[in-house]
Amino acid sequence: MDSGKFPGSFAWGASTAAYQIEGGWDADGKGPNVWDTFTHQGGDRVLKNQTGDVACGSYTLWEEDLKCIKQLGLTHYRFSFSWSRLLPDGTTGFINQKGVDYYNKLIDSLLEMGVTPLVTLYHFDLPQAVEDQGGWLSEKTVDIFKQYAQFCYTTFGDRVKHWITINEPYYAARLSYESGIFAPGKKLKGIGGYRAAHNMIKAHAKAWHVYNTFFKDKQQGRVSIALDSDWAEPLDPNSLADKEATERYMFFRLHWFANPIFIDGDYPAIMKSIVSQKSKEEGLTSSRLPEFTEEEKAMIKGTADFFCLNYYTTRKVKPLDTTACEPHSNSDTGAEGITEPNWPISGVEWLAVVPWGLRRLLAHIKHSFGNPEIFITENGFAQADPPALQDVHRWGYYQETLMEVLKAIKLDGVNVKGYFAWSLLDNFEWNSGYSVRFGLFHVDFAQANLPRTPYYSANEYAKVVKGNELIYK
Ligand code: BGC
C-alpha cells in the first residue's frame, strides 16, 4: 500500500448504547425497560447483581461525553435512544417530553460541534410494557416498533440523517428469547430465537419503508440495521465436513439476517431446509423457523441503505455432534466455533484478537451483498478489571484492525465508509456488569461523579482521526 491514508470523508466514530451508559433509569418520567426489570430481579443474572441504574450517568453527565468526543476529534458518534425514555409504555399514546428534550440537547450539541449523529433505535432495551404484550415473540411488536420509528423520524429526523433500526438482531433474538441470558430471560429453545428474529426483521423492514415513503424526500437521510458477525474458517481447510460446517456457521449468523434484507427477502435455503428437516424428525407439523409470505418477502427485500457491521473476532469451525442435543439454533447450525490456541485473547475469553478476519469478512460482504457501502459500527477490545490506563494491547488491536480495514479498502476494493470504535466509554457490559471494560475512556465507577479519563488508546486513536491516517510502526 502506498500510504496509511484513509479515503477523504471517511467517518471516524465511537459507539455507545443507552442502557449501557445513561443511568437515570427512572428519571423524569422514563418507563422501565426489560433490562431494568431483569437486573432488579437479582439472582445473579448479572455479575455481582450489578445494574444499569446509574451506569456512566450519561443522562446527566452527557456534556462530559461530549468532551470525550471532542478530545478524540470524532466526525461521527453512534448512540442509541432509550425507547422507554421517549415513550414510557413503548407506544405513542404518551410522549415523555423530558426524554425528547434530552436527546434534542445531545443531538443539537453534537451538530454544533460538527459531529454527525448515527442513532440506533433499539439496542436490547425493549420497553417493559411492550414485553408484557409478548415482546419480540409477538407480531404486535412489529407495528409498535414501526410507530416508534415514525415518531423518531418526525421528532429528530430534521437533524438525524443516519438511522439504525435494530442492533444485532442475532444476539437480541437468541440471548433474550432462546438462551435467556439477556433480558427478558425467556428460554424457548429452538423456537424463541427464530420467532423473535422473524418479528425483528419485519419490524426493521416496516421502519425502513415508513422512512422511505414519508420522510426520505424531505429529510434526505438513510436507514439500516447493525448486523454482527464473526468471520469463520474451516478448522481443517482440507476437510469437506469442516468447510460445510463453516458455511452453516455463516448462514445461521450473518446471512440469517443479511439474505432477507440485502438479497431476496427470505432466509438462506440451507437454513430453511435444515430447520424444517429437524422439525419433522422431532414430530412437529411445521418448521420451527417461521416462513415469510410472498408479500412479506417483497416488503423485506432491499430495506437497507448501507451495511452496518459489528465485528469483534474470528472462529475456526468444525461440525458439532448434535445427536444428543435438544432442539436449539446451535444444534440446527451443527457447527462449533473454536479459538486457535495461538490467537491472543483480550480481557474476555470470547474475544480472540484476529484482525485479519475483518478483512476477509469485509470482502465476503462485498461479494455476497452487491458491494454495499459499509460502516463498521462496532469493533473493540476489552480489558478485564482492573484495567490499565496504558492499554497498549488494546491499541495494538486497534492498529492492526485499522490496517486490515485499509487493506480491504485499497487492495480489495471494499466500499468501507466509516469505522466506529466500541466503545466511547467503559460501560455496563450486560451480564458481565462493570467487570469488562471496552472504553476508549476509563470511567471510575467508584466515584460519585464518574470521572472519564482517556486511556492511551484514546490519545492514539485521536491522532489517527486527526490525520485520517494510520501511521504504523
Ligand atoms: C453489543 C454491545 C456490547 C459489545 C461488546 C456488541 O455485541 O452491541 O452492546 O457491549 O458487543 O460485548
Side-chain angles (χ1 to χ4, degrees):
M1 280 186 302
D2 48 351
S3 82
K5 274 273 177 205
F6 280 80
S9 74
F10 193 78
W12 288 107
S15 298
T16 59
Y19 187 77
Q20 296 181 271
I21 66 162
E22 283 181 2
W25 78 276
D26 63 350
D28 297 338
K30 175 183 165 290
N33 61 45
V34 290
W35 273 93
D36 294 320
T37 309
F38 189 73
T39 55
H40 294 167
Q41 282 165 346
D44 292 320
R45 288 173 170 79
V46 171
L47 186 83
K48 299 186 188 157
N49 288 318
Q50 289 170 332
T51 74
D53 289 2
V54 177
C56 308
S58 295
Y59 183 61
T60 47
L61 298 172
W62 56 278
E63 284 161 302
E64 298 305 309
D65 298 350
L66 294 184
K67 286 183 199 160
C68 300
I69 292 168
K70 194 163 187 180
Q71 222 172 308
L72 294 172
L74 301 181
T75 62
H76 289 63
Y77 176 50
R78 173 181 175 224
F79 61 98
S80 79
F81 285 165
S82 159
W83 181 346
S84 64
R85 193 180 294 293
L86 290 165
L87 308 178
D89 73 357
T91 75
T92 47
F94 178 74
I95 293 160
N96 181 28
Q97 189 54 43
K98 292 259 176 69
V100 174
D101 295 345
Y102 171 65
Y103 292 116
N104 272 336
K105 279 186 301 198
L106 181 59
I107 292 165
D108 291 345
S109 307
L110 286 168
L111 291 172
E112 274 162 32
M113 285 163 57
V115 177
T116 304
L118 215 92
V119 174
T120 311
L121 294 176
Y122 163 72
H123 195 127
F124 304 165
D125 51 353
L126 195 72
Q128 184 59 46
V130 178
E131 179 55 36
D132 293 343
Q133 295 184 46
W136 286 113
L137 297 176
S138 163
E139 175 96 37
K140 275 195 250 166
T141 301
V142 172
D143 280 310
I144 300 176
F145 182 78
K146 183 185 90 175
Q147 276 156 24
Y148 163 55
Q150 179 156 3
F151 161 77
C152 292
Y153 306 147
T154 308
T155 312
F156 306 102
D158 55 335
R159 289 151 295 148
V160 175
K161 306 297 173 189
H162 299 77
W163 296 100
I164 294 174
T165 54
I166 295 176
N167 180 67
E168 301 189 351
Y170 174 83
Y171 280 121
R174 292 171 80 247
L175 301 189
S176 305
Y177 296 96
E178 181 166 39
S179 69
I181 64 166
F182 268 23
K186 297 259 160 76
K187 296 189 174 106
L188 292 160
K189 296 204 175 127
I191 291 174
Y194 293 135
R195 202 177 285 168
H198 199 69
N199 287 325
M200 285 178 192
I201 293 170
K202 289 199 274 188
H204 157 78
K206 286 204 174 183
W208 183 89
H209 279 287
V210 167
Y211 193 83
N212 203 47
T213 311
F214 301 110
F215 296 89
K216 188 156 181 129
D217 278 352
K218 189 150 183 270
Q219 298 187 346
Q220 297 287 309
R222 305 198 299 167
V223 180
S224 186
I225 182 167
L227 302 181
D228 60 282
S229 190
D230 294 344
W231 174 240
E233 303 222 329
L235 183 61
D236 173 357
N238 298 315
S239 150
L240 181 62
D242 289 6
K243 281 193 214 161
E244 288 173 349
T246 305
E247 276 181 25
R248 291 196 299 277
Y249 191 93
M250 293 303 288
F251 276 116
F252 275 80
R253 180 142 188 189
L254 180 67
H255 293 258
W256 175 357
F257 301 92
N259 279 27
I261 293 166
F262 288 88
I263 301 184
D264 59 1
D266 201 4
Y267 297 121
I270 188 172
M271 205 178 160
K272 292 197 293 185
S273 72
I274 289 176
V275 186
S276 148
Q277 180 59 32
K278 291 209 172 228
S279 305
K280 253 187 224 146
E281 287 162 16
E282 292 151 17
L284 302 172
T285 49
S286 61
S287 176
R288 287 184 277 99
L289 181 69
E291 282 177 23
F292 293 121
T293 63
E294 289 309 315
E295 205 183 318
E296 285 169 343
K297 287 181 203 166
M299 193 268 294
I300 292 163
K301 180 182 168 180
T303 52
D305 302 319
F306 52 106
F307 201 110
C308 296
L309 172 71
N310 295 355
Y311 171 80
Y312 287 90
T313 193
T314 285
R315 292 285 183 263
K316 288 286 171 92
V317 177
K318 63 176 189 172
L320 176 74
D321 179 8
T322 58
T323 33
C325 289
E326 54 184 346
H328 194 288
S329 59
N330 287 343
S331 45
D332 293 338
T333 313
E336 189 182 354
I338 288 165
T339 299
E340 286 268 340
N342 62 337
W343 290 345
I345 300 290
S346 75
V348 279
E349 116 327 282
W350 60 265
L351 206 171
V353 178
V354 197
W356 53 261
L358 177 56
R359 177 178 174 192
R360 295 186 189 180
L361 180 57
L362 288 168
H364 176 79
I365 291 170
K366 173 184 171 181
H367 294 121
S368 306
F369 308 113
N371 196 16
E373 275 190 15
I374 304 174
F375 285 76
I376 298 161
T377 38
E378 281 183 35
N379 175 249
F381 174 104
Q383 290 198 88
D385 231 12
L389 277 179
Q390 280 297 110
D391 57 343
V392 283
H393 293 307
R394 174 159 32 210
W395 182 244
Y397 171 96
Y398 274 123
Q399 261 188 325
E400 286 174 31
T401 307
L402 288 171
M403 178 58 89
E404 297 299 324
V405 175
L406 257 187
K407 287 185 199 160
I409 297 170
K410 296 196 173 182
L411 305 179
D412 309 335
V414 184
N415 204 0
V416 186
K417 293 289 187 185
Y419 176 89
F420 291 67
W422 183 270
S423 174
L424 181 67
L425 306 168
D426 287 341
N427 59 44
F428 177 82
E429 176 56 17
W430 309 114
N431 302 99
S432 308
Y434 299 95
S435 67
V436 166
R437 291 170 178 265
F438 272 97
L440 287 168
F441 283 78
H442 173 268
V443 177
D444 186 347
F445 295 106
Q447 290 194 51
N449 62 342
L450 299 158
R452 283 88 161 126
T453 310
Y455 286 105
Y456 169 73
S457 288
N459 298 330
E460 293 302 309
Y461 188 51
K463 290 182 202 163
V464 172
V465 173
K466 189 161 185 219
N468 195 33
E469 180 174 22
L470 181 69
I471 297 170
Y472 195 78
K473 290 168 261 176

